[in-house]
Amino acid sequence: MQNPLLAKWESKLQGIFDRIDTYLEEKYGDAYPLRYNRPPHGCGVTPDTDGLFELGFSFSLGISSQLGPGYVFRIKLATSSKVSPEFFTKIENEVVDMLKRELPKEFPDKNLQVAKDGRNYKIYGNLDLN
């Protein structure tokens, strides 16, 4: 059984990622062809399982990280085509900017930060569930 406070926290975070995914799909969803087994945006079980963009997160204790514990996320594109580095960087920057705007709205007074942590990104800071 999952802690209800943790479930609420992660539900809010998932809502942010879902809104970002929808924005990206509407703006850039036709930029590259989807992998052959990938359903179009809006036709999958969840927003991270359909369309061009895969945005998901998982909690990390941060044992080998200088940033400590937090939610690690990676931005992926569900295409077999070669994605230009410029396009990918543009998407990364937009995701990070949107997270920095949305996190304070969903988690006021938490002072959450977003930073690159190795090859991934991490949301870290005050992760208190209350």
Side-chain angles (χ1 to χ4, degrees):
M1 178 180 225
Q2 187 179 28
N3 178 324
L5 294 175
L6 178 60
K8 183 178 177 184
W9 175 281
E10 290 187 347
S11 177
K12 287 181 178 184
L13 190 56
Q14 186 64 57
I16 293 171
F17 275 91
D18 289 350
R19 288 190 300 274
I20 292 171
D21 182 89
T22 297
Y23 168 81
L24 293 174
E25 292 291 350
E26 289 173 359
K27 189 170 181 181
Y28 304 110
D30 295 330
Y32 291 92
L34 298 177
R35 288 192 307 254
Y36 74 93
N37 61 345
R38 182 80 168 184
H41 175 63
C43 296
V45 177
T46 60
D48 64 328
T49 61
D50 65 18
L52 183 59
F53 299 94
E54 293 181 27
L55 302 175
F57 62 87
S58 61
F59 181 76
S60 169
L61 290 174
I63 293 171
S64 63
S65 168
Q66 293 184 0
L67 301 177
Y71 285 89
V72 176
F73 68 94
R74 200 168 187 186
I75 302 157
K76 298 179 186 177
L77 275 68
T79 184
S80 298
S81 299
K82 182 163 176 52
V83 177
S84 77
E86 296 81 15
F87 180 79
F88 193 78
T89 298
K90 179 179 182 174
I91 297 302
E92 282 185 320
N93 290 338
E94 285 197 45
V95 170
V96 169
D97 289 346
M98 290 179 76
L99 275 170
K100 287 179 178 180
R101 285 193 309 271
E102 292 294 316
L103 286 168
K105 294 176 189 175
E106 290 292 335
F107 303 99
D109 304 322
K110 292 293 183 192
N111 193 26
L112 297 172
Q113 306 294 315
V114 180
K116 192 89 169 173
D117 191 24
R119 293 185 331 175
N120 301 313
Y121 283 90
K122 183 179 276 186
I123 299 167
Y124 66 99
N126 180 357
L127 301 175
D128 181 29
L129 298 178
N130 294 320

